[in-house]
């Protein structure tokens, strides 16, 4: 059988890799990752047909949300539900804080320290999780983390001192690293053309756990305190058995029916040749020395960071400022997290739509606009003094902030091909660092009231988003500057030195460079589609 | 287009109105005169402890019109409302217990104990401390209310700086032996079941040997079908 690429005409190439890239075709012979839909013989391990169209790596090319079919859609649901469980337990304490603070005698400073602790643990664990997924697979990574943090959740029922409370919140926050395993798992199961949507949906629905918990925990507390008649200081402790049991159940389900790759688990597959054997230090070097990594760490710190901070403080803020009962304060607080269900994927979509017309410059402007409007609304939230308008502004603010989170991850895959894992991990961790910084600066100071803290948080968000103006891609331009004559191959190929290029180690980067020409935007697309396709062998 | 404009204007007006509406200010504490004498004492089996334990002990409160105040003032009073209030030492760094002059906003007195009819000679009340009271230092304040329920006078069981004669209440921890035990049990369940599953999978893999699955992701197209 002749190699596929050679005898086909341009007409045959519609529907091939690049058909969504405005007619640009990736006309390569070998080596390349085949983006064709494999014909009907594609079968899974047990010889059954896949229920979704797949590519040659058996990654799905379509997303059917209402389906639980193995392996792709089942994985999608397992991974977002386990990520949601971890967000649920990390932010289970804030809606119950008005009771907990009386039980343990917490001061405002203690609560702020606990809030900082609740987002610090995941910095370390998110950075490690990438490596663990690489070595052991996302199924083990997710299940081990979820089941290992379950004891910390049960410890919350046993704490009776301030330090105990802070420590327990720190250890529970390790569970937030399931973000990394979730995204890694999606990337293993879904083809590059829809992995953005799959990742955005899974991350958004997982983040919504922070909102669901603010609804559910006060309801569970009410059920136990009023219907079962336990003392209030006992009822909140019993309520924590819910997230604890969710951890155990999800961990066991993931181990029982999850699988790492469409064709099985890491332990029974031999992975050959797909990954260029790269050294950890080289990958780290190119991630760390790329200044864009740090710019996006700062901006994500004031987008996810603001969302995490608000998850921690909002129920208490409404309870104290407006004198409403615990359940209603929790319901209002939950809207922030629940908006994630739609707004995070919507942010990714807005970024993609902007890119189709204006390329990477459109993505940057979209991100800046969304995040700055979010910052302005945050300032407004701090200034408003009455309940109704505060709730309205809170909802709109959370939509914009979470859309900005989704839009950020529309840009991250293009910063580097070689160090994508390191950069994703650093940016993700940056979100947590931003939350820590905000809580330390604005919410642990006794002289700042909570409304002043919220207002200052909005000001800082706007200031930190402004660094986006410094981002410049030579091949696509920046927010204010047009592109230079550099090409995508120069940019991505520049991450490899001469010796490595001689050994053809940069082949995946160059393939990616070809596919990323869509980031030029529509007007420059029309120029490039006339030029000869690449004939790199 | 015109109807859309009208809609936008209406929405803006509603939001502005809603923002503009303020609660009518309540009575200011600084406008009240201290006319009542309040004495609060712990009734405890463990009298030497100097603190009251929730669920077990009680606080007995005696209030009356201050002897230096003419009884004519008392004609205005219809009811007396007794409240448990936080002492300043328990308010430090806890914004949700702050003292504000506006009694509608004030968070110092967080628990109403009872409301009794006013009598010049005074009355008493024994309050059995329920289990949901947080541990802190307290004093008792009595507000004298008119017939319509507006505060016009007060008295408290401590001095003006709220530093003397404070009542210390010892709370429950909320922990139960059963719950401690269940928590430890579930934690062990989680960790042990994780180890068991991992061990089982490691053994299964060792017994069956390493299976090599021919997935070559840089597949040359002409080897499709293998």
């Amino acid at each position: 059988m002749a190699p596929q690429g050679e005898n086909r005409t341009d007409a045959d190439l519609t529907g091939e890799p690049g058909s969504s890239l405005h007619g640009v075709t990736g006309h390569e012979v070998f080596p390349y990752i085949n983006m064709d839909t494999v014909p009907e013989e594609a079968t899974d391990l047990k010889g059954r047909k896949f229920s979704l169209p797949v590519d040659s790596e058996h990654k799905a090319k379509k997303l059917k949300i209402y389906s639980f079919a193995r392996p792709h859609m089942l994985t999608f649901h397992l991974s977002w539900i386990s990520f949601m469980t971890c967000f649920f337990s990390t932010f289970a304490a804030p809606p119950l804080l008005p009771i907990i603070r009386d039980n343990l005698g917490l001061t405002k400073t203690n609560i702020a320290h606990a809030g900082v602790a609740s987002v610090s643990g995941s910095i370390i664990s998110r950075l490690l999780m990438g490596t663990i997924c690489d070595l052991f697979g996302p199924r083990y990574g997710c299940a081990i983390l979820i089941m290992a943090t379950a004891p910390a959740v049960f410890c919350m029922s046993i704490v009776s001192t301030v330090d105990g409370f802070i420590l327990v919140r720190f250890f529970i926050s390790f569970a937030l690293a399931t973000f990394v395993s979730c995204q890694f798992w999606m990337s293993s199961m879904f083809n590059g053309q829809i992995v953005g949507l799959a990742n955005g949906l899974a991350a958004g629905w997982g983040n919504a756990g922070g909102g669901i918990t603010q609804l559910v925990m006060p309801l569970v507390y009410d059920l136990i305190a009023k219907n079962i008649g336990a003392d209030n200081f006992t009822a909140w402790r019993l309520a924590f058995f819910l997230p604890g049991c969710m951890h155990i159940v999800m961990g066991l389900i993931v181990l029982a029916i999850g699988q790492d790759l469409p064709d099985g688990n890491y332990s029974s597959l031999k992975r050959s040749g797909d990954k260029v054997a790269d050294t950890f230090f080289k990958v780290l070097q190119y991630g760390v020395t790329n200044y864009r990594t740090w710019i996006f760490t700062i901006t994500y710190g004031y987008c996810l960071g603001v969302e995490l901070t608000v998850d921690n403080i909002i129920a208490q803020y409404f309870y104290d400022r407006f004198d409403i009962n615990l359940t209603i304060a929790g319901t209002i607080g939950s809207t922030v997290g629940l908006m994630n269900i739609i707004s995070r994927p919507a942010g990714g979509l807005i970024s993609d739509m902007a890119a189709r017309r204006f390329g990477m410059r459109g993505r940057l402007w979209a991100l800046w606009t969304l995040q700055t409007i979010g910052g302005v609304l945050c300032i407004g939230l701090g200034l408003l003094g009455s309940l109704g308008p505060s709730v309205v502004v809170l909802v709109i603010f959370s939509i914009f902030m979470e859309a900005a989170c989704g839009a950020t991850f529309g840009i991250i895959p293009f910063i580097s091909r070689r160090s994508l894992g390191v950069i994703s991990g650093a940016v993700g961790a940056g979100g947590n660092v931003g939350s820590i910084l905000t809580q330390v600066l604005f919410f642990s100071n006794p002289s700042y009231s909570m409304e002043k803290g919220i207002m200052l948080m909005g000001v800082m968000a706007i200031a930190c988003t402004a660094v986006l103006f410094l981002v410049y891609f030579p091949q696509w331009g920046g927010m204010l500057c047009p592109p230079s004559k550099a090409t995508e191959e120069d940019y991505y190929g520049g991450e490899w030195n001469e010796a490595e290029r001689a050994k053809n180690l940069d082949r995946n980067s160059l393939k990616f460079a070809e596919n990323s020409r869509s980031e030029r935007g529509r007007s420059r697309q029309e120029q490039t589609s006339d030029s000869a396709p690449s004939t790199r062998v | 287009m015109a109807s859309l404009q009208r809609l936008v204007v209406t929405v803006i007006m509603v939001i502005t109105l809603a923002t503009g509406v303020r609660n009518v200010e309540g009575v200011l504490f600084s406008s009240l005169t201290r006319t009542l004498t309040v004495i609060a004492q712990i009734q405890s089996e463990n009298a030497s402890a100097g603190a009251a334990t929730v669920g077990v002990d009680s606080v007995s409160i005696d209030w009356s019109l201050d002897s230096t105040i003419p009884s004519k003032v008392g004609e205005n009073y219809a009811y007396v409302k007794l409240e448990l209030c936080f002492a300043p030492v328990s308010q430090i760094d806890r914004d949700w217990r702050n003292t504000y002059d506006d009694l509608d906003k004030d968070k110092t007195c967080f628990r109403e104990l009872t409301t009794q009819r006013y009598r010049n000679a005074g009355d008493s009340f024994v309050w059995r401390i329920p289990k949901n009271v947080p541990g802190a230092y307290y004093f008792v304040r009595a507000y004298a209310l008119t017939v319509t329920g507006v505060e016009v006078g007060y008295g408290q069981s401590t001095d003006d700086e709220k530093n003397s004669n404070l009542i210390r209440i010892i709370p429950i921890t909320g922990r139960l032996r059963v719950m401690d035990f269940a928590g430890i049990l579930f934690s062990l369940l989680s960790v042990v079941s994780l180890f068991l599953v991992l061990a089982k999978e490691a053994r299964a893999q060792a017994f069956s040997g390493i299976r090599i699955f021919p997935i070559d992701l840089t597949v040359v197209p002409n080897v499709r079908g293998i």
Side-chain angles (χ1 to χ4, degrees):
Chain A
M1 234 157 81
Q4 222 182 4
E6 280 177 355
N7 294 332
R8 294 189 294 178
T9 63
D10 273 278
D12 293 339
L13 286 165
T14 52
E16 291 298 298
S19 61
S20 69
L21 306 176
H22 315 292
V24 174
T25 58
H27 191 172
E28 284 183 323
V29 179
F30 170 86
Y32 71 94
I33 294 171
N34 193 343
M35 303 280 248
D36 284 344
T37 306
V38 169
E40 303 309 300
E41 311 99 55
T43 55
D44 65 8
L45 265 181
K46 303 216 167 95
R48 295 175 300 215
K49 253 178 17 188
F50 286 117
S51 61
L52 294 169
V54 294
D55 65 14
S56 70
E57 290 173 273
H58 291 179
K59 294 187 185 178
K61 292 191 71 181
K62 260 197 189 162
L63 201 66
K64 266 197 218 162
I65 295 181
Y66 45 83
S67 155
F68 276 78
R70 309 177 78 140
H72 308 100
M73 291 319 303
L74 184 65
T75 302
F76 173 78
H77 291 295
L78 280 179
S79 81
W80 81 258
I81 295 178
S82 38
F83 182 36
M84 189 273 290
T85 306
C86 295
F87 245 93
F88 188 99
S89 56
T90 307
F91 293 103
L96 296 179
L97 263 176
I99 313 288
I100 302 178
R101 68 191 179 193
D102 279 341
N103 191 184
L104 303 178
L106 302 175
T107 64
K108 184 173 162 182
T109 317
N110 297 145
I111 294 174
H113 288 167
V116 167
S118 73
V119 291
S120 336
S122 68
I123 295 181
I124 311 158
S125 58
R126 279 185 181 195
L127 294 171
L128 288 175
M129 190 55 143
T131 320
I132 294 176
C133 284
D134 264 333
L135 295 174
F136 302 115
R139 170 178 162 256
Y140 275 172
C142 177
I144 292 175
L145 186 65
I146 256 194
M147 292 182 85
T149 41
V153 183
F154 289 114
C155 276
M156 188 64 102
S157 309
I158 307 180
V159 288
S160 51
T161 60
V162 173
D163 292 330
F165 180 68
I166 296 177
L167 267 176
V168 168
R169 286 208 75 189
F170 175 72
F171 283 116
I172 297 179
S173 76
F174 276 69
L176 286 183
T178 29
F179 169 70
V180 178
S181 74
C182 175
Q183 305 278 285
F184 192 103
W185 219 349
M186 295 289 97
S187 306
S188 312
M189 286 282 176
F190 291 93
N191 175 284
Q193 292 176 342
I194 53 159
V195 75
L197 182 64
N199 271 339
L201 283 172
W205 293 2
N207 273 31
I212 296 174
T213 190
Q214 312 239 9
L215 256 180
V216 170
M217 291 301 280
L219 286 176
V220 172
Y221 165 79
D222 260 348
L223 190 77
I224 300 175
K226 298 197 177 121
N227 295 28
I228 302 183
D231 299 320
N232 63 345
F233 290 167
T234 306
W236 78 263
R237 293 167 184 278
L238 275 175
F240 266 87
F241 275 75
L242 174 66
C245 292
M246 278 166 72
H247 270 236
I248 301 180
V249 166
M250 275 320 295
L252 289 174
I253 291 179
V254 164
L255 282 174
I257 61 178
Q259 63 186 70
D260 294 309
L261 292 170
D263 292 305
N265 288 322
Y266 277 24
S267 54
S268 50
L269 297 175
K270 177 174 174 259
R271 283 148 68 227
S272 57
D274 62 321
K275 276 190 165 188
V276 168
D278 209 343
T279 61
F280 173 68
F281 287 109
K282 280 278 178 185
V283 165
L284 189 64
Q285 177 196 337
Y286 284 108
V288 162
T289 52
N290 193 332
Y291 73 94
R292 299 168 194 87
T293 309
W294 304 111
I295 292 186
F296 283 100
T297 306
I298 295 174
T299 56
Y300 198 59
Y302 275 88
C303 139
L304 182 76
V306 168
E307 186 196 325
L308 294 180
T309 306
V310 169
D311 272 339
N312 260 335
I313 59 147
I314 202 71
Q316 242 197 130
Y317 172 69
F318 274 91
Y319 181 88
D320 289 334
R321 191 153 190 221
F322 300 110
D323 268 327
I324 47 185
N325 79 35
L326 200 66
T327 314
I328 299 182
T331 310
I332 296 174
S334 71
T335 55
V336 175
L338 288 173
M339 284 298 127
N340 261 307
I341 296 177
I342 312 164
S343 48
R344 189 157 175 149
L349 271 176
I350 292 174
S351 183
D352 286 342
M353 274 161 40
R356 246 175 269 159
R357 186 80 208 278
F358 301 107
M360 177 55 72
R361 299 180 80 182
R363 287 192 195 267
L364 290 167
W365 274 102
L367 173 59
W368 180 84
T369 312
L370 288 169
Q371 199 159 326
T372 305
I373 297 180
V376 168
L377 288 166
C378 190
I379 295 178
L381 180 65
L383 292 173
L384 281 174
S386 36
L387 181 60
S390 279
V391 175
V392 171
V393 170
L394 178 73
V395 170
I396 305 176
F397 150 76
S398 54
I399 293 176
F400 276 93
M401 258 324 169
E402 288 151 15
C405 291
T408 309
F409 274 85
I411 301 178
I412 302 293
F414 295 102
I415 299 179
S416 161
R417 179 63 180 82
R418 190 172 185 182
S419 310
L420 177 60
V422 165
I423 293 177
S424 301
V427 171
N432 289 53
V433 171
S435 179
I436 292 176
L437 209 61
T438 314
Q439 290 183 84
V440 165
L441 283 175
F442 303 132
F443 294 101
S444 40
N445 195 334
S447 57
Y448 284 154
S449 64
M450 237 188 219
E451 47 267 30
K452 191 166 179 200
I454 293 178
M455 193 203 78
L456 290 173
M457 180 166 73
V459 172
M460 189 140 181
I462 297 178
C464 289
T465 311
V467 296
L468 276 175
F469 283 98
L470 299 174
V471 174
Y472 181 73
F473 288 92
Q475 71 277 30
W476 299 317
M479 280 172 82
L480 299 173
C481 310
S484 69
K485 295 273 186 299
T487 65
E488 289 80 2
E489 279 81 3
D490 296 334
Y491 180 78
Y492 292 111
E495 294 179 326
W496 304 86
N497 61 32
E498 280 306 318
E500 291 160 337
R501 267 184 253 182
K503 284 188 247 168
N504 211 15
L505 292 176
D506 56 343
R507 57 184 186 266
N508 285 339
S509 288
L510 291 171
K511 169 64 188 158
F512 182 78
E514 183 108 32
N515 283 338
S516 69
R517 267 200 248 288
S518 58
E519 297 306 306
R520 290 193 178 193
R522 191 177 297 165
S523 50
R524 289 179 71 206
Q525 278 315 339
E526 277 134 20
Q527 296 165 18
T528 58
S529 62
D530 297 331
S531 59
S534 157
T535 50
R536 185 186 149 76
V537 173
Chain B
M1 216 46 219
S3 57
L4 178 65
Q5 268 179 331
R6 250 179 276 151
L7 177 65
V8 168
V9 168
T10 320
V11 167
I12 292 176
M13 271 177 59
V14 166
I15 293 180
T16 323
L17 276 173
T19 330
V21 166
R22 297 251 176 276
N23 281 331
V24 176
E25 245 191 28
V27 178
L28 295 180
F29 183 71
S30 47
S31 69
L32 301 178
T33 38
R34 190 170 177 167
T35 54
L36 301 174
T37 313
V38 180
I39 302 169
Q41 281 168 329
I42 300 171
Q43 284 182 341
S44 168
E45 284 119 33
N46 195 1
S48 59
T53 312
V54 298
V56 172
D57 298 333
S58 316
V59 176
S60 85
I61 305 156
D62 297 293
W63 61 267
S64 60
L65 188 66
D66 199 19
S67 48
T68 59
I69 308 282
S71 53
K72 200 161 56 84
V73 173
E75 281 161 22
N76 203 9
Y77 299 167
Y79 302 102
V80 168
K81 182 170 66 169
L82 296 175
E83 291 188 343
L84 189 71
C85 311
F86 289 107
V89 63
S90 293
Q91 285 177 304
I92 299 172
D93 206 12
R94 291 182 175 97
D95 285 356
W96 56 90
R97 294 178 184 171
N98 274 352
T99 301
Y100 298 100
D101 206 22
D102 183 345
L103 284 182
D104 280 345
K105 292 200 170 77
D106 187 33
K107 304 278 202 302
T108 327
C109 297
F110 85 112
R111 178 73 62 105
E112 192 186 309
L113 305 179
T114 187
T115 305
Q116 295 174 321
R117 286 204 157 278
Y118 173 76
R119 291 198 320 226
N120 266 346
D123 207 340
S124 65
F125 179 69
V126 173
W127 181 57
R128 183 85 194 268
I129 310 175
K131 282 193 181 167
N132 55 12
V133 175
Y137 286 89
Y138 298 94
F139 62 94
V140 175
R141 185 177 281 170
Y143 287 108
L145 310 175
T146 61
V147 179
T148 48
V150 176
E151 295 89 350
V152 286
Y154 79 98
Q156 58 194 27
S157 65
T158 180
D159 56 16
D160 281 334
E161 286 79 42
K162 300 181 269 187
N163 274 331
S164 63
N165 288 340
L166 297 176
I167 303 165
R168 187 169 149 237
I169 294 186
I170 300 173
I172 54 167
T173 58
R175 289 172 60 177
L176 297 172
R177 278 268 281 276
V178 174
M179 213 163 56
D180 289 354
F181 185 65
I184 296 174
L185 185 70
F186 277 75
S187 306
L188 280 175
L189 174 74
S190 176
V191 174
V192 166
S193 58
L194 178 68
F195 271 122
L196 285 178
V197 172
L198 292 180
K200 178 177 152 234
E201 295 199 353
R203 276 230 323 250
Q205 192 200 327
F207 277 134
S208 64
I210 299 169
R211 271 179 264 135
I212 294 171
F213 205 94
I215 261 211
D216 191 353
L217 293 168
T218 55
V219 61
V220 177
N222 62 358
V223 278
R224 184 194 287 172
I226 285 181

